[in-house]
Amino acid sequence: MAEHGGRIVARTLRSRGVEQLFTLSGGHLFSVYDGCREEGIAIVDVRHEQAAAFAGFAYSRLKNKIGVCMAASGPATTNLVTGVAHAWADCTPILALGGAAPVSTWHRGAFQDTDQLSIFKPITKFADRVHNARRIPELVNLAIAQAMTGRTGPAYLDLPGDILYQEVDE
């Protein structure tokens, strides 16, 4: 049976004990939202992406576990920066997930294409991009492990739209 990348993201988050996802809805992220509903992860839809990052920060500080926030691509993902930088300064483990342009359209200006990785690398312990849905569990687990070990802090993972809908055999 095949699963799409968004469902794999949600299943992996759930396996790491994630109970809530803070986000501002973006259409290409619906596959993750569908997976979260199936996995019993509460989706907290905020009014601005910055609020999602700060909610993930507060959740992490209050619960002493990873806080997870997510935003659509381009300007939506860059709106997470202030909360992620705050988590960096305060050694707070959060996982920021950013939607991104489909792989086939990179560097062509399509779908709010922005070099999000370059923006997040200086303010996170770990920043990477998923290039194949098969690697989602590995990269989500690595990002969370990096955020939660040693001097705790934020991690970032770029999720291209076509990867979230890519189907993978279990």
Side-chain angles (χ1 to χ4, degrees):
M1 184 169 130
E3 283 188 309
H4 57 76
R7 174 78 167 82
I8 296 168
V9 169
R11 184 169 35 88
T12 307
L13 290 173
R14 189 61 174 154
S15 74
R16 295 301 301 253
V18 172
E19 299 168 341
Q20 293 189 330
L21 171 70
F22 301 96
T23 186
L24 178 65
S25 290
H28 64 288
L29 302 175
F30 285 172
S31 65
V32 177
Y33 302 145
D34 290 343
C36 284
R37 278 192 292 280
E38 292 169 15
E39 290 294 327
I41 297 172
I43 300 167
V44 180
D45 196 12
V46 298
R47 291 184 167 224
H48 192 277
E49 296 87 354
Q50 188 179 60
F54 279 115
F57 174 90
Y59 180 88
S60 177
R61 297 289 283 210
L62 293 169
K63 296 274 201 166
N64 199 29
K65 56 188 347 185
I66 192 84
V68 182
C69 58
M70 185 169 68
S73 67
T77 294
T78 65
N79 283 336
L80 298 173
V81 168
T82 303
V84 171
H86 188 62
W88 173 254
D90 282 353
C91 303
T92 302
I94 66 170
L95 172 60
L97 301 171
V103 174
S104 63
T105 67
W106 283 350
H107 310 299
R108 295 183 187 169
F111 195 59
Q112 301 178 329
D113 189 11
T114 305
D115 186 1
Q116 297 162 182
L117 266 177
S118 293
I119 294 168
F120 282 92
K121 281 186 178 182
I123 57 169
T124 58
K125 291 182 64 182
F126 173 86
D128 206 348
R129 175 177 290 133
V130 177
H131 293 279
N132 187 307
R134 292 183 199 288
R135 293 201 58 210
I136 289 172
E138 171 194 354
L139 291 171
V140 169
N141 282 314
L142 181 57
I144 292 173
Q146 290 290 319
M148 297 294 291
T149 57
R151 176 187 181 269
T152 59
Y156 173 75
L157 200 54
D158 222 31
L159 301 169
D162 51 346
I163 301 302
L164 290 176
Y165 288 94
Q166 184 179 46
E167 296 217 344
V168 176
D169 287 330
E170 282 188 72

